Amino acid sequence: MMTSKDLTESRKKIGDETPAPPGFVSLTSFTLKRTKRDREPEQNEAYSKTTDIENLQKSVKHRPWILGDQLTNLEKPNTQHLNMNISVENTLPKGVIRGCPSCSNCQKVIACWRPEEGCRPSVKSTSVLHPTEEEFKDIYKYIEKIRPKAEENGICRILPPESWKPPFLLKGNKFDTTRFGTHVQEINALKDLHSKRKLNEIIELKDGSDGFEFESGPEFTLPAFKRYAEQFKQNYFKKQDMFTGVGTPAWENVEGEYWRIIQNPTEEIQVLSGHNLETKVLGSGFPLPSLDDHNDDQSKYRKSGWNLNNTPNMPGSLLPFDCDNSTPSTSRMDVGMCFSSLCWKVEEHHLYLLSYMHLGSSRIWYGVPSKYRLKCEALLKKTFPELSRHRELFHKLVTQLSPSILKSEGIPVYRCVQHPKQFILIFPGAYYWGFDTGFSVSEKANFAPLDWLPHGQLTVETYSEMHRKTSISYDKILLGGAREAAKSSWDSRKRGWNNACGKDGWFTRALKSRVRRESFKREFLCNGARSRKMEEDFGCSLKRECFLCFSDLYLSAAGCSCSPDKYSCLEHSKQICTCPWSSRFFLYRSSIDELNLLIDTLSGKVNPKSTTFTT
């Protein structure tokens, strides 16, 4: 037992009036001294340079009351061996232990549910839609019908008719033997794990990649992952009352516990997730389209627009016009367990997202309407001030913000609870995030109907300002679709394109806006004498991007004879190299006159047969 005399002597050694916590004594022998600073910190102390690093780390490990920011001010003889990421979160006891010498896939769940401390947020529920059999036949026509109202929430849930029961095809040999990779998610640290402590690593990723992923986890087959997930949930939510036994908690209970872990963590909770798995590896849960399509029970599901293998390429979608880029047109699989998270995000290029849950436990989603997007970004700057000068990095964050925080800033949040055999629809530009309440298998796909065009142009302009890579060619999609719609033999309604043409048609308005910006740049930045048409395959087989801002160069580009494989957008043509301005040349796919003629054709001012776009 530490006496008062011992405590006094201990205070003298560290030269501070702050006592050690009762019952704690130093485990190592070391000297502390004050360091002179421009501004005296309140309680920050510096360890002497003679301190042994290993003993210091052990000491810190046993002193959880030492704040993480105190460690950043230490004077260290050899910083490469000192872990600078030590923080309050790192001092939490482990609630889940994964792996052992004989098996990397096993787990021991030590933490347990704390229902009395649940932090279930108070938010409104979003729309739940019930299409009729007739409405369900045409996916794009139905989404066009519900969009004006459902888009106000940013997210909605769609319950198919009773008769729509597609088979789940990830069974049999492929289901039992195909392995997929997982990622480790530390749920208790999602509030700031991959933002504040990893800022320097994120900034290094300015090459346009999607941001760094979670730490890689073990590989599983689906049956093995299901066993792992069910074991975790059963052990974590086991009831302590021997008379009530073990039961499955309601999704409301899981939601309250999830936000408790994030906001008031008491243990480290690590779970595994398998998100964005390619269907060509794991397979699709839907029947695949077949040339030899017999009239069997699966025939209607193979052809259905709600089959996510078909959705991106159905009549009514614009993505097929960027046929050289198949990534957004491919469905992906999500395999989750209790607490595995879809972190705060908005879809690439603000595309629509449709998700279908094949089987498993419910998933809880949260959505914010797109008109609050700028408010969301302002909140991110406020929450993560160290990123205020790096707006281009917001999409790389892997973090969760409580709906309560957003609501306190005047940002509405809507909850969607997705159960098996149901769809979730995310509208363009909406922020969303969510988590699983247990083992689940779902499938998702992006698509782009006509009403996406304004969102598409906005994101292209925004990405260029942020020097962020594009994943699709907006100009290629816009011109390809507009030319098709302008053909004399083309009835746009057959493609599901209601209101595509005409004075106020989607294509007409989008192309007018795009040509207006392009015309201004060419007038003031291009030299007509050194301008020429692009070769037909420029930017087709190999996507061409501005070397500086990563803008897509499908419509126009600038170059210099000194760098034959280096191109820029018109705005950055001066930065290509240091050669004289007279050495620049400019490429364009269509002249402004040709583009204006296409606009007149779309609006009905010109007979389509007289244009060059009928071939």
Side-chain angles (χ1 to χ4, degrees), residues 391-604:
R391 184 184 172 212
E392 74 276 12
L393 301 179
F394 283 160
H395 74 288
K396 299 177 188 292
L397 291 178
V398 181
T399 188
Q400 295 292 63
L401 291 179
S402 168
S404 302
I405 295 177
L406 277 78
K407 288 179 62 181
S408 69
E409 297 292 328
I411 302 172
V413 181
Y414 297 90
R415 178 197 289 115
C416 248
V417 184
Q418 181 186 24
H419 305 296
K421 311 301 181 184
Q422 297 179 359
F423 288 95
I424 291 291
L425 180 63
I426 308 291
F427 288 91
Y431 270 105
Y432 71 93
W433 67 104
F435 66 94
D436 292 298
T437 65
F439 171 74
S440 71
V441 179
S442 58
E443 195 163 349
K444 61 189 178 185
N446 292 115
F447 62 97
L450 283 174
D451 61 77
W452 167 81
L453 285 170
H455 298 276
Q457 178 166 322
L458 175 63
T459 54
V460 167
E461 296 167 3
T462 303
Y463 285 12
S464 177
E465 293 172 1
M466 297 192 301
H467 292 193
R468 176 178 170 183
K469 280 183 175 288
T470 59
S471 57
I472 59 177
S473 174
Y474 172 79
D475 287 338
K476 189 174 183 179
I477 289 174
L478 175 60
L479 287 178
R483 287 170 177 169
E484 284 285 0
K487 287 183 178 180
S488 60
S489 60
W490 184 262
D491 182 352
S492 61
R493 289 174 296 178
K494 290 182 179 178
R495 193 173 177 86
W497 285 348
N498 297 321
N499 305 318
C501 302
K503 182 179 179 180
D504 296 319
W506 286 107
F507 277 130
T508 311
R509 287 181 291 163
L511 192 58
K512 274 184 179 180
S513 176
R514 182 68 184 91
V515 172
R516 189 181 305 118
R517 290 176 60 88
E518 182 69 14
S519 178
F520 179 83
K521 293 178 183 178
R522 293 190 192 183
E523 180 180 355
F524 290 98
L525 298 173
C526 293
N527 185 313
R530 297 194 302 275
S531 298
R532 62 178 184 265
K533 276 212 167 187
M534 293 175 175
E535 295 180 4
E536 194 64 31
D537 62 347
F538 182 90
C540 293
S541 58
L542 175 64
K543 187 171 181 283
R544 299 286 188 177
E545 298 173 326
C546 174
F547 80 99
L548 185 59
C549 69
F550 303 113
S551 294
D552 174 59
L553 303 180
Y554 181 79
L555 192 58
S556 58
C560 180
S561 55
C562 75
S563 307
D565 295 323
K566 187 177 183 180
Y567 298 93
S568 78
C569 65
L570 301 185
E571 290 184 48
H572 297 123
S573 53
K574 289 185 178 181
Q575 287 100 317
I576 293 178
C577 61
T578 58
C579 294
W581 179 247
S582 58
S583 65
R584 301 293 188 276
F585 60 85
F586 304 94
L587 306 174
Y588 61 89
R589 189 168 301 277
S590 300
S591 69
I592 297 299
D593 287 341
E594 289 175 317
L595 293 173
N596 283 327
L597 179 60
L598 177 56
I599 292 173
D600 289 341
T601 304
L602 290 168
S603 61

